[in-house]
Amino acid sequence: PMAVLHNEVACAQHEMSPIYCHSSFSCDNNVLFMEVLEREAEKLGLHVLFHEKPFAGINGSGKHNNWSLGTDTGVNWFYPGKTDSARNLFVTAIACLAHGLCQHNEVVRCAVAHAGNDHRLGAQEAPPAIISLYPGTGFEAHVDSIIKGAPLLGYRAEKAAADPRASAAMPAVCGVEDRNRTAPFPFCGNRFEFRA
């Protein structure tokens, strides 16, 4: 089951997003989807390339993992929430994630270090040589305020409108996420994406 299917930047490059579920099911869905693609392409005399960057000078494919952590009762630790306890959990979860990445950066890097990943850099993909967390400018400002003595609960994830700076266009509503295309761990509203 797919939630998203659309064209990407390169010629005949497409993105598919399986519906979010437990990680073991997501892995099974991913492998099944790739097998079906290969089988159907062969029937048409075509080939599917899953290589990260099969052609020099243009964007290639990548395996980007969207993930979150939660409880068995459905509480998502990476959802900013609307109550003080939910916001407190969110800030704590991101602090733990940042600390974990700081302490175990080399392990995360080794998990994705191979020739295909290390040589796909050149277009607009994440640089896997540097594993960094990017929770967005709003949360970054909140962390700066905590360092200066502000309370832990001051963060509010609020949608904003982007000004198109054109009189013929209306402002576009932006999500809470701050999808920095060069960050290996950008925040995506209620989850993180591992782009390396």
Side-chain angles (χ1 to χ4, degrees):
M2 300 295 153
V4 176
L5 179 64
H6 62 263
N7 294 341
E8 274 290 337
V9 179
C11 300
Q13 180 186 12
H14 304 279
E15 177 175 325
M16 67 88 174
S17 300
I19 293 173
Y20 183 80
C21 59
H22 289 281
S23 57
S24 58
F25 297 144
S26 288
C27 292
D28 289 345
N29 289 342
N30 189 41
V31 171
L32 178 62
F33 183 75
M34 291 192 307
E35 287 179 2
V36 169
L37 276 180
E38 288 173 333
R39 191 177 316 127
E40 294 302 312
E42 189 176 342
K43 289 178 186 176
L44 299 169
L46 301 171
H47 293 280
V48 178
L49 301 177
F50 294 114
H51 188 278
E52 292 85 1
K53 191 158 178 65
F55 304 109
I58 62 170
N59 286 359
S61 300
K63 293 285 176 103
H64 301 158
N65 235 342
N66 284 271
W67 63 280
S68 192
L69 294 174
T71 66
D72 59 352
T73 60
V75 176
N76 182 347
W77 295 1
F78 292 137
Y79 176 68
K82 296 179 180 170
T83 65
D84 284 351
S85 61
R87 288 188 196 104
N88 203 6
L89 179 63
F90 174 72
V91 171
T92 304
I94 291 185
C96 291
L97 175 60
H99 181 72
L101 282 175
C102 181
Q103 294 296 309
H104 304 288
N105 197 284
E106 296 84 6
V107 175
V108 176
R109 169 75 177 106
C110 287
V112 295
H114 57 79
N117 250 356
D118 288 349
H119 293 288
R120 73 179 166 93
L121 300 178
Q124 286 79 36
E125 292 295 324
I130 302 166
I131 304 298
S132 60
L133 176 69
Y134 188 73
T137 54
F139 192 79
E140 190 177 321
H142 177 62
V143 170
D144 288 343
S145 67
I146 291 172
I147 292 168
K148 293 174 185 170
L152 190 64
L153 288 175
Y155 179 70
R156 293 202 187 281
E158 296 177 359
K159 293 185 177 183
D163 183 1
R165 300 181 194 269
S167 59
M170 292 175 36
V173 177
C174 301
V176 188
E177 68 268 12
D178 203 328
R179 301 290 304 274
N180 182 335
R181 301 295 287 183
T182 62
F185 264 94
F187 178 58
C188 302
N190 63 356
R191 65 196 184 284
F192 279 87
E193 184 175 46
F194 187 23
R195 295 181 51 81

